[in-house]
Amino acid sequence: MPGNESNHKSTRRSFLDFLLGASGVAWFGSILYPVIRYLKPLPRAGPSGPTRLTKEELAKLEKDHFVIVPVSGKRVLVLQNAAQEILAVDAKCTHEGCTVQYLPGESAIWCACHNARFDLDGRVVSGPPPRPLPKYAAERLEDGGILLVAERRPSE
């Protein structure tokens, strides 16, 4: 009996050692992964050139009066103002890089991070952003679709 008990204790001890080692490795991995992800930049995704909105994006635009779509690896805010014009600006705030939103009731673009506001052309109205939002050319096609073209220069 005494030999059987020591064998049982060593099995329990080896299981606990394995469990402690596995949780240590998992903890170390949870710390190391974000560091490696930060140091290695993500590849730019998405096709370059003109981008056509999908049917789902068009439906969201009609419902919410704005939609954020990927264009050449960037997020672009496409909005429809009260005059039914289609406008497009970069969805990344020029202050801290937060995602902006369109407020249809105020006819303004708003960044929630520091309560910054932009007009519909992307110019800073209030808040800390140092530059206006870059604009994109957006045009409505004959079949009802919307086409976004590459980024415009700030002077346009």
Side-chain angles (χ1 to χ4, degrees):
M1 282 274 174
N4 190 13
E5 185 177 311
S6 66
N7 187 21
H8 180 63
K9 284 185 179 181
S10 67
T11 305
R12 186 183 307 163
R13 181 176 184 100
S14 63
F15 174 73
L16 291 175
D17 286 343
F18 171 76
L19 192 61
L20 182 62
S23 46
V25 168
W27 177 81
F28 185 70
S30 70
I31 300 298
L32 190 62
Y33 176 75
V35 172
I36 291 172
R37 177 92 182 215
Y38 174 76
L39 293 176
K40 182 183 175 195
L42 295 174
R44 294 196 129 204
S48 59
T51 301
R52 186 182 174 107
L53 270 63
T54 64
K55 289 181 182 182
E56 294 81 20
E57 292 167 341
L58 287 169
K60 184 169 172 38
L61 178 65
E62 290 298 321
K63 179 182 169 221
D64 299 336
H65 302 287
F66 80 96
V67 66
I68 296 176
V69 297
V71 175
S72 301
K74 295 182 179 182
R75 295 171 299 179
V76 176
L77 173 72
V78 180
L79 59 99
Q80 184 173 336
N81 64 11
Q84 301 299 317
E85 296 173 321
I86 301 297
L87 305 169
V89 295
D90 198 334
K92 183 177 174 183
C93 181
T94 56
H95 179 237
E96 291 287 328
C98 300
T99 302
V100 297
Q101 302 173 36
Y102 173 54
L103 302 175
E106 299 178 26
S107 292
I109 299 170
W110 175 62
C111 176
C113 289
H114 296 99
N115 201 26
R117 294 191 187 270
F118 301 88
D119 67 7
L120 298 184
D121 286 326
R123 294 184 298 257
V124 179
V125 175
S126 67
R131 295 177 310 283
L133 297 170
K135 293 169 60 172
Y136 285 77
E139 58 186 60
R140 194 178 295 268
L141 302 174
E142 291 178 8
D143 63 359
I146 295 175
L147 187 69
L148 297 175
V149 186
E151 184 177 339
R152 290 193 215 171
R153 301 276 183 246
S155 61
E156 289 188 273

